[in-house]
Amino acid sequence: MPESPTPSLLPRRSRYFIDSVGRGFEILRIIAESPEPLTITEVAAKTGMVASTVLRFVETLRDLDFLAEGLVSGTYQPGPAAIRTGYLALQTSPLLALAQPVLEALYRNLGETVNMAVLDSRHIVYLARFKQQDMRSISVHAGSRIPAHCTALGKVMLAQHDPEEVAALYEGYDFPAFTEATTASLDRLLASLEQVRAQGFALQEQELVTGHQAQAVPVFDAGGGVAAAIGTVSARSRDQASLAAERSALTEAAAAIGASLPAGFEA
Amino acid sequence: MAPPRSKESKAAGKAATGEEREGLSRYHVEALARALKTLAVFDEAQPEMTLGQVSERTGSNPATALRVISTLRDLGLLSARADSGRYFLSARSARLGFSSFVNQDLVTVAYPILRALFRRLGDSVYFGMLAGAEAVDILTFRRNEVVGAFGQRFPLYCTPGGKVALAYCDRNLRRSILRSLSFEAFTPNTPDRARLEAELEQVAEQGYAVSIEELSVGIAGAAAPILGRNGELLAYVVSSGPTMRMTENHIHEVVVPMLLETAGRISQLVRYATRDSAGE
């Protein structure tokens, strides 16, 4: 693919990259994503780093309040500075400020749960969600990060990238399967992305949660780069006509958000 | 509590905990510390900054600041405006605040409620958490200022937020914190160990804490805990101000009931928000 307007999916390492900073944030991510506070030994096992190295990083993160000691002494969890940074990122996001009223109107018109997310390597990060109250099951909050390959939001964003780049990103990836329908191999993912690219949206049935139907469309900046994705989730099963109507509402909303994003927009 | 804490008082707070953490720990990874400080300079008052501003606010020279910014951009934590080139916290860095147990939903849920409390009370409102052996404010509502500087740390034994945090935190954690505390008398009214221990029992019983001129002369305040589904301490909310307005009577008649109502509402909403919501 020639000069893509969307930045590469693959990890970027400028010549200035500071390795120890990368490792520190890797440790922070592992601790934040664990369902319970972790010990130094557990972090070392998950990162493959030596315990004494992990300790130095953890102490630094703790000095600056990005980590705090858990209830059990010797365990660590995200600290107030991490929470505050995440909160400020949402609170001050130019994209979210633009999108919020559009998404809210969409939610009111459709009566379905409406989400917005950005791509973060093999994951998506939710930025906003307007929720239908009657839905149960897994918990999704703004800031939460879930695998891109099994979500409509993730697929519409991945589909904007060169298939070879997607293949490189997922090389050696152990695809977690959440339901019977999850796209759980690279071949299936690439085939699914090709279809998404051709049709311009992602529609998927119960890949993350059984019984859920999700649709998503990309949000493009003025230069044609994909900045984010917006989509709906429903616990109800709808007929083709209402799905199509919902899609045109989504496409219109995506265009309204994208119209204010300059070329080369970074979310 | 109200007065902005200078480096000296931060050091005093640290020294008061009796920990070997004079300023920075001996394990410090300097480059990582610089990167974390860089993220922390972005706030609501100044969400976008030039390289020069970042370098000035972090106190590093421009070349160092640029290396740190480049690394944070590579990691997807900082973005740059296409028009001005100014840097801001990327949308992806929202994930930093997310975890399964301390959720930024707490802050999101709490924010409008705290702002309403601030408007009703007219005195400063602080929302904070326990971090190690100190209380750290996450949101600050002060007169003429919506959200103030982050990361003010206070000694636990002579501030209302600190006393609430101590009274409601896990028993083992409390025991170890109490063991590590050395009590510095900031004012004639700063509690000593015996008084603090007696007071913590009272705080747990009545559900709030009051401090009158315990850290600074002329400043008083009260605090209430925000509790999770299993009664665990999530955060605390404080209001404090000059003793001219914050009289004992005003604290008990006006401030405490409003704090309890606010903390109760936030606790309830957080429990609701974390109970069930839907994924894609």
Side-chain angles (χ1 to χ4, degrees), chain B residues 87-108:
Chain B
Y87 303 107
F88 63 95
L89 293 174
S90 75
R92 280 183 281 177
S93 64
R95 69 175 158 81
L96 285 180
F98 181 83
S99 79
S100 332
F101 29 90
V102 262
N103 199 302
Q104 78 194 4
D105 274 9
L106 172 61
V107 187
T108 310

Side-chain angles (χ1 to χ4, degrees), chain B residues 13-213:
Chain B
K14 291 242 180 195
T17 66
E19 289 198 8
E20 285 180 17
R21 292 176 64 202
E22 276 292 330
L24 303 173
S25 93
R26 64 199 166 94
Y27 301 110
H28 228 67
V29 181
E30 199 47 51
L32 176 60
R34 236 180 257 134
L36 298 173
K37 284 178 191 160
T38 301
L39 286 182
V41 298
F42 293 87
D43 59 23
E44 278 192 329
Q46 210 171 346
E48 294 178 4
M49 272 181 255
T50 61
L51 170 63
Q53 287 167 322
V54 172
S55 134
E56 193 189 311
R57 288 183 70 163
T58 52
S60 13
N61 65 52
T64 307
L66 182 62
R67 279 198 73 187
V68 171
I69 288 172
S70 301
T71 305
L72 290 171
R73 278 171 57 69
D74 285 349
L75 293 171
L77 296 168
L78 284 184
S79 293
R81 294 290 286 223
D83 47 3
S84 63
R86 285 167 185 264
Y87 303 107
F88 63 95
L89 293 174
S90 75
R92 280 183 281 177
S93 64
R95 69 175 158 81
L96 285 180
F98 181 83
S99 79
S100 332
F101 29 90
V102 262
N103 199 302
Q104 78 194 4
D105 274 9
L106 172 61
V107 187
T108 310
V109 161
Y111 185 86
I113 303 173
L114 294 165
R115 194 177 47 195
L117 174 71
F118 171 61
R119 291 196 176 138
R120 278 165 72 199
L121 278 174
D123 271 303
S124 303
V125 167
Y126 302 85
F127 175 78
M129 288 179 182
L130 192 61
E134 287 172 309
V136 179
D137 289 338
I138 293 177
L139 293 178
T140 310
F141 299 82
R142 258 184 243 137
R143 297 185 148 205
N144 311 321
E145 189 184 353
V146 189
V147 177
F150 161 72
Q152 295 182 32
R153 296 155 163 278
F154 305 107
L156 294 172
Y157 56 94
C158 55
T159 57
K163 288 195 287 189
V164 159
L166 269 181
Y168 282 88
C169 71
D170 172 78
R171 197 190 316 134
N172 293 326
L173 181 62
R174 175 165 57 241
R175 204 176 299 142
S176 83
I177 292 175
L178 281 175
R179 250 201 315 270
S180 76
L181 287 179
S182 57
F183 290 76
E184 184 181 340
F186 296 103
T187 73
N189 216 18
T190 306
D192 58 15
R193 185 179 299 276
R195 195 182 116 198
L196 179 71
E197 284 178 6
E199 218 178 294
L200 291 181
E201 273 176 41
Q202 198 195 335
V203 169
E205 211 166 279
Q206 67 194 14
Y208 62 89
V210 173
S211 289
I212 295 171
E213 304 195 311

Side-chain angles (χ1 to χ4, degrees), chain A residues 159-181:
Chain A
Q160 299 304 318
H161 292 270
D162 188 305
E164 280 169 23
E165 206 178 287
V166 175
L169 181 70
Y170 280 92
E171 200 193 306
Y173 181 63
D174 188 13
F175 283 83
F178 296 95
T179 70
E180 304 258 306

Side-chain angles (χ1 to χ4, degrees), chain A residues 6 16 75 83 90 110 132 157 162 169 171 188 240 248:
Chain A
T6 303
Y16 288 132
T75 67
I83 297 169
L90 290 173
L110 296 176
Q132 269 301 93
M157 291 188 277
D162 188 305
L169 181 70
E171 200 193 306
R188 280 185 62 191
Q240 288 304 322
S248 45

Side-chain angles (χ1 to χ4, degrees), chain A residues 14 60 120 129 138 141 208 267, chain B residues 29 74 79 95 105 277-278 280:
Chain A
S14 64
T60 304
D120 185 22
R129 114 183 245 95
I138 73 160
H141 304 283
L208 186 58
Chain B
V29 181
D74 285 349
S79 293
R95 69 175 158 81
D105 274 9
S277 55
E280 183 184 5

